Amino acid sequence: MTKSVEYFFSIGSPWSYIGFDAFTELAAKNDVVVTPYLTTVVEENGGIFSRNRPEIRRAYWTRDLKRWARVRGRELRLEHRPELSDPAPASLFVIAAYLDGQDWIGVVRALQHAFWSEARDIGKADIREAIVTSAGFDGAALLRRQADDDVQNKWSADRVHARDSGVFGFPSYVYDGELYWGQDNLPFLERHLRGDRP
């Protein structure tokens, strides 16, 4: 029987990047339909941007990211990154692809890899257009679509839904009313999908 998981994430979250392939593989293996919700840190629910954490926590966060990146086989460029603009607008490309029935997973993968492994400035429209075009998508069409009402409305609605679902950090997954925060919780999500509800 097909199962449905709500997937809350941010293009600008390194944890979303690290856990993305593990999640999509888990979803495919367990006959899961994924509904993506894109937003930024939900501060109303207690989410904290890494830049606002004490230095000692940021240092640990960086070490933990590096450990998990090695486990997941992901290269993260965390040091010596150039000044980059806000990556959040790249979410609009993903939303447009999703609404148009395209391979939104492929769009996410291309944009996150460029941002986190190559430190490319996906906040700039021409750069993200070039990235998705080189990955085999119609970057010009996605660029045009990002300003459309349905794309903008989903972007706004996704934040409200994240807030109302109790999401505060990324990635988060909701299945059968149960919230799982963090890519390190994927084993618990998979147990739930297989019938072991907590």
Side-chain angles (χ1 to χ4, degrees):
M1 185 174 69
T2 301
K3 307 169 187 74
S4 179
V5 171
E6 295 183 327
Y7 174 50
F8 299 86
F9 70 109
S10 167
I11 294 291
S13 160
W15 295 110
S16 295
Y17 172 53
I18 288 171
F20 189 68
D21 283 347
F23 172 59
T24 56
E25 289 165 12
L26 180 156
K29 187 170 60 173
N30 290 278
D31 196 24
V32 168
V33 172
V34 178
T35 303
Y37 295 92
L38 292 100
T39 187
T40 58
V41 172
V42 187
E43 293 179 286
E44 307 97 294
N45 289 348
I48 303 172
F49 285 97
S50 61
R51 64 178 176 268
N52 296 331
R53 294 176 180 148
E55 179 56 39
I56 197 161
R57 268 200 75 184
R58 282 201 306 274
Y60 182 84
W61 178 83
T62 299
R63 292 298 304 150
D64 208 30
L65 274 171
K66 290 178 178 179
R67 286 192 288 257
W68 272 106
R70 290 186 69 176
V71 167
R72 298 292 192 202
R74 289 284 167 268
E75 181 182 346
L76 277 179
R77 185 173 169 189
L78 296 175
E79 284 90 15
H80 312 297
R81 288 172 67 87
E83 284 294 320
L84 302 175
S85 50
D86 181 7
S91 302
L92 301 173
F93 272 34
V94 178
I95 290 171
Y98 171 74
L99 292 176
D100 292 347
Q102 297 182 43
D103 176 20
W104 65 270
I105 289 174
V107 174
V108 171
R109 191 171 283 127
L111 290 169
Q112 286 189 324
H113 175 79
F115 187 70
W116 287 111
S117 290
E118 300 172 347
R120 295 179 66 186
D121 197 350
I122 63 172
K124 294 182 177 175
D126 59 329
I127 292 177
R128 64 177 174 271
E129 179 186 354
I131 289 165
V132 298
T133 298
S134 67
F137 300 96
D138 187 342
L142 291 174
L143 181 60
R144 286 192 302 271
R145 283 281 282 129
Q146 69 180 9
D148 290 347
D149 287 346
D150 60 338
V151 174
Q152 291 291 327
N153 290 342
K154 178 167 168 52
W155 172 244
S156 298
D158 282 5
R159 179 165 193 82
V160 173
H161 186 54
R163 182 198 66 202
D164 293 349
S165 298
V167 171
F168 50 88
F170 307 112
S172 289
Y173 321 90
V174 174
Y175 173 62
D176 193 23
E178 191 77 19
L179 173 69
Y180 297 90
W181 170 47
Q183 59 88 37
D184 54 332
N185 268 273
L186 285 172
F188 298 121
L189 172 60
E190 185 161 35
R191 288 176 66 94
H192 189 171
L193 288 166
R194 295 181 175 181
D196 182 16
R197 178 172 183 150

